[in-house]
Amino acid sequence: MVKFGDKIKTSNLDKKTHPIELYDTLDRASDKGPLRPVQKEILESWFNHRYKEKDILLKLHTGQGKTLIGLLMLQSRLNKGTGPAIYVCPNNYLVEQTKIQAEQFGIKYATYENSEIPDEFIDEKAILIVTVQVLFNGLSKFGIGRRCVEASTILLDDAHSCIEVINNSCKISISNAKAPYNEILNLFSVDLERQGMGTFAEITSKKHEALLNVPYWAWQEKHAEVVTILNNHSDLKEIKFPWPIIKDNIKNCDCYISGGGIEIVPYLLPLEEFGTYAKAQQRIYMSATLADDSILVQGLGISADAITNPLRIDNEEWSGEKMLLIPSLIDSTLNREEIVHHLATNETVDRGGRVVIAPSFNKTKDWKKYGAKVVTTESINDEITKLKQGDIKKTVVFANRYDGIDLPDNSCRVLTIDSEPHFDSLQDRYFESCRSDSDMILMKKAQKIEQGIGRSVRGERDYSAIVLIGSELVRLIRSRKTRNYFSLQTQKQIDIGMEIIEFAKQDISETKPSMEVFTDLIEQLIKRDPDWKEFYIEKMNKIAPENPKSKVLDTLVAEKNAIEKYQKGEYQVAVDMIQELVDKNQFNDDEKGWYMQKMANFIYPLSKQQSNKYQTLAHNKNRYLLLPKEGSSFTKLSTVSMKRVENIKSNMESHGDFDELLTNLNGILEDLRFGVKADRFEAAFNSLGKFLGFETERPDKEWKEGPDNLWGLENNRYLLVECKNEVGLDRQEIHKAETGQMNNASAWFMKNYQHSDVTRMLIIPTKKVSRGAGFTESVQILRKRGLARLSENVRNFFNEFKTTNFASLSEGKIQQNLDLHNLSVDKIIDDYTEVPKNL
């Protein structure tokens, strides 16, 4: 063997540390040419100005080669001798993609196989490529706390997706089938029942959607018992991985209990426990160009300065071509059901992959019914490979895959985002139920939607039609408040989509129905219509470069700092910090209540009396929060001086135009169906009442007892409603438990609304009352047919004002149309319901 090293005159081979020079030394594949200008600019900026910074947020449009940039950064630091380097991916699919890129460019890597940390990584001879689960779990071979394997540089690819995985690694989730579930449920049964008698009954019946938050005062008083329960079952898979991370911090956790399971979640992610991550000299976070990365402050412990000063290209140009289509706004007949049927069948005219992202497997059922192929966790890699290879025979549906999959070029030419994304965790579901319109909730939803929209256009020359269906999703897209949380590029694409809607409306005629117009638009994109391309380029070139200030960064930093003070025992300081946050911001009452509840929580170890005062104020501001331990006062739903027609007119005027009103109304009516989750149905029924001009509330949610819904119809006259819309349509009888709930709700009403007129309504598919069951008061039954007729009449009523200027709308016209469409108070009570039948 020839010893070439001996022939080299210099004693040592210098390893290139400048990433651009380093790239030229790599044994890359023959089809891999020079670095792109964008890649060079980013690497120059990092090497010359940011090389020694602790936290770096790297932001680039999709398709600009972020993976290669990240690998070169890590290799540069390896060559510099700073220490071992790790490339972290949110899932196995991206690990495989990263390994392929490393091989193509001649970058040496190591993998975590057989649960062993490879020597090449320890010896700084190769970049370790792993999933985030490998590094962030309580039993990680990398160690916990100070006893950990050290790494100099850690890069997190798709940082926003990594947060969700890390969240899951730091919380305990126990299903209702496991013993600790019942033990913890029994421990807090009295506390939970006081927070919602009906909801607690549903939890004990194992109804998955029923959800309650264990009051912080009960948790703090009984957390030692919780520790004992969890320790006794610490061999369970659900407990043993997070247990080493949070076992000494159980007191500083929230607990959420549903009919399906329990979540125990730390107030703040204990990222310091992951020593390899916490002690790294440099941490690089790669992110798509989302509008706001503030969530990384709490989710990954990144500094606020890194958020406000990302590593990016100044005035970066837009990339890729997306035609955003919202068919329901083109014509109301192009509703979700019609589009699902159209795009799921083989009758679609587009060429290339047809892909759908739905929020859950439950939502995929409609697509499967019409012949689409639903991807499972086991088949996802195979199905993506088939799409990329052109094996395209059916529409392919992914459930809850808004990130982590790439579908470039012909693998996806039509991408449908079906309905509003769902929150999976119990904590997020609780947050949404208490503060659905908060900036944090809207930002999370917008980012998930944007991540989904980005699955199909993966490069600057790529193109795809993006079809948005589902009333709640359309409402989010239309909302100016939500729009601010999309990137500038996506905002402009939405604006173009709105223009397309107006053009399409003008194209509809007797000879050219709306579905044909919709299909033609997709064809123009697929067939590369030059006029469309020119129109798109002209519009996108008008994006005004700006770096908008985050609306939530200061809030998240303040929250994080306050929690850290609380956990150090500085309770009053933590309260003062939250008070200062509230004083500085113009929060609505829901948000003020939310932060008052945090103050009540923080002050509880210091003063139970002061805590209860804060909690009372919190519940007065936002009745979806915890009912205070003592001293709360019930307030009747007032019908005095109620002016129904004025309320309807005021509500209509609050919408910018008829399209906005129709979008919101369709969202309500879409949820008013049997089979919809109970909480969404009850919220929709509450909103329907407001649309119809009534005073409404949800007593079981707001006062923690009473019926699901209550409408104030007119002076001292009410409609009391229990919703059993999740009951199967094939159910033959009303069960004893259901009549019992109605009887309890009736007793609550008689106690709190003495001398008031009330109609009791049970929404359920059957009117037959089983033997052994019975109502103590008269009850009306609203079944599927009656509910459908009510919804149709409501829609027809508002359609009467399609061409009307809301500001000039007369009250007489509103009343006339209420009567015309059988929506007077008497008609609502009598025309849609039936009398129950005793067996």
Side-chain angles (χ1 to χ4, degrees), residues 62 89-98 157-162 164-165 288 357 380-381 384 388 398 400-407 447-448 450-456 458:
T62 299
C89 301
N91 54 49
N92 285 315
Y93 173 77
L94 287 181
V95 164
E96 294 304 315
Q97 297 301 305
T98 305
D157 193 356
D158 202 350
H160 288 269
S161 299
C162 289
E164 189 171 347
V165 180
I357 299 176
I380 184 168
N381 287 340
I384 291 174
K388 290 182 176 179
F398 295 89
N400 196 22
R401 290 283 180 171
Y402 296 90
D403 52 35
I405 58 173
D406 297 342
L407 301 167
Q447 290 183 348
K448 192 163 250 192
E450 182 151 21
Q451 286 173 315
I453 288 173
R455 294 308 91 206
S456 63
R458 308 302 300 173

Side-chain angles (χ1 to χ4, degrees), residues 272-290:
E272 68 282 355
E273 293 295 326
F274 304 107
T276 305
Y277 173 77
K279 294 163 64 176
Q281 294 174 22
Q282 184 167 88
R283 304 183 300 196
I284 302 167
Y285 308 89
M286 296 208 300
S287 166
T289 48
L290 299 174

